[in-house]
Amino acid sequence: MLPLLRCAPRALGSAVAGLRATALSTQLRQLLQPAPRPCARPFGLLSVRAGSARRPGLLRTRAPCGCGCDALHTQGDKAFVEFLSDEIKEEKKLQKHKSLPKMSGDWELELNGTEAKLVRKVAGEKVTVTFNINNSIPPTYDGEEEPSQGQKVEEQEPELTSTPNFVVEVTKDGGKKALVLDCHYPEDEVEQEEDENDIFSIREVSFQSTGESEWKDTNYTLNTDSLDWALYDHLMDFLADRGVDNTFADELVELSTALEHQEYITFLEDLKGFVKSQ
């Protein structure tokens, strides 16, 4: 009996240690999980229907329908398709551009899904501006004003604007290096205090080899946070001389917003077809 009693504290100690290790492991995994991002796009009709009660029957597993198509048909899918149909109609009403707006300055547009590339050749140089519309709309937060009485929810929704990061690549004819400038639209007014006339900023500058398919992280990259402002101003003038100025930045926002909205409507249509397909 005594040996068993002596073993009991050791067993309890091992169990407690195991529980602590499990708890620490769980906390570590939670810390490593990315923080959830607030919804950036308020659905026009979602706020009207979000308060409807969920029917318990929709949570039950459904068997394929009896029509012989071996597909899954639920009342939830039907309601989802109806909602998407209404949402697509509303988004098309809000669509400003049926076709993508043109960029001034002889820029040629190339599209590859959500990635867009603007190319311009001038005096023995090739200027390429690349941006991606994914995650280009700043998130909206819940701290905004509540809709006033008698005013529709749709009238309170802010206009969504796409402000993507964009990369400018300048190469010279026959050159082996490309000057790469990583640019963005500052979200905080504090970042714009240095020069209120610029609506975009240069974040990083580097040289990359024109013969490489992928840029190397081992190449020296200059961060403008610690850069002398005289040098920074010269870099901004360098871009302006090649057509990347405030006018270009404004037109880029308009183009990116139209492209993002176009892709969003296409996504809703694809989602509707996916849910509805038999």
Side-chain angles (χ1 to χ4, degrees), residues 116-136:
K117 183 181 293 184
L118 294 165
V119 182
R120 181 173 185 252
K121 294 182 179 180
V122 52
E125 293 185 357
K126 180 180 178 181
V127 184
T128 305
V129 179
T130 307
F131 65 93
N132 197 310
I133 62 170
N134 283 336
N135 301 317
S136 62

Side-chain angles (χ1 to χ4, degrees), residues 38-256:
C39 178
R41 184 187 301 278
F43 285 90
L45 300 177
L46 183 60
S47 56
V48 178
R49 301 186 177 185
S52 61
R54 183 183 297 276
R55 285 163 289 182
L58 296 179
L59 300 179
R60 294 196 297 265
T61 302
R62 297 285 182 175
C65 69
C67 65
C69 65
D70 291 332
L72 184 65
H73 301 297
T74 68
Q75 292 298 321
D77 289 348
K78 182 178 179 181
F80 195 7
V81 170
E82 293 176 355
F83 166 78
L84 289 172
S85 299
D86 294 339
E87 190 68 21
I88 291 170
K89 292 179 182 178
E90 291 299 321
E91 290 296 331
K92 287 185 176 180
K93 290 180 182 178
L94 297 174
Q95 194 173 16
K96 291 183 177 180
H97 303 280
K98 301 303 179 183
S99 60
L100 296 178
K102 301 292 184 180
M103 297 283 294
S104 61
D106 298 327
W107 291 94
E108 296 181 3
L109 176 62
E110 301 176 10
L111 295 176
N112 182 18
T114 59
E115 184 178 274
K117 183 181 293 184
L118 294 165
V119 182
R120 181 173 185 252
K121 294 182 179 180
V122 52
E125 293 185 357
K126 180 180 178 181
V127 184
T128 305
V129 179
T130 307
F131 65 93
N132 197 310
I133 62 170
N134 283 336
N135 301 317
S136 62
I137 296 181
T140 55
Y141 299 94
D142 297 334
E144 299 176 354
E145 296 181 359
E146 294 292 334
S148 57
Q149 293 183 354
Q151 194 168 13
K152 295 181 180 180
V153 177
E154 289 81 358
E155 297 176 355
Q156 289 287 331
E157 293 178 356
E159 182 178 353
L160 299 180
T161 303
S162 172
T163 54
N165 300 334
F166 60 94
V167 176
V168 183
E169 180 183 356
V170 181
T171 59
K172 295 182 179 294
D173 291 346
K176 296 182 179 180
K177 289 185 178 180
L179 181 62
V180 180
L181 302 99
D182 183 6
C183 304
H184 71 119
Y185 295 90
E187 296 181 4
D188 300 329
E189 295 181 357
V190 178
E191 299 182 41
Q192 301 180 5
E193 290 180 357
E194 297 291 345
D195 191 350
E196 297 179 355
N197 295 323
D198 296 326
I199 63 176
F200 72 97
S201 300
I202 303 173
R203 191 189 322 233
E204 294 179 345
V205 185
S206 65
F207 277 106
Q208 299 292 339
S209 175
T210 57
E212 298 290 339
S213 58
E214 295 183 1
W215 292 337
K216 296 181 179 179
D217 294 334
T218 54
N219 290 358
Y220 177 76
T221 300
L222 178 66
N223 192 305
T224 59
D225 289 341
S226 57
L227 189 64
D228 179 81
W229 280 101
L231 176 56
Y232 180 85
D233 288 340
H234 280 295
L235 288 172
M236 292 293 290
D237 292 339
F238 176 86
L239 289 178
D241 291 339
R242 284 149 183 83
V244 184
D245 51 12
N246 282 344
T247 301
F248 172 87
D250 279 330
E251 294 180 353
L252 180 63
V253 169
E254 185 178 3
L255 172 62
S256 181

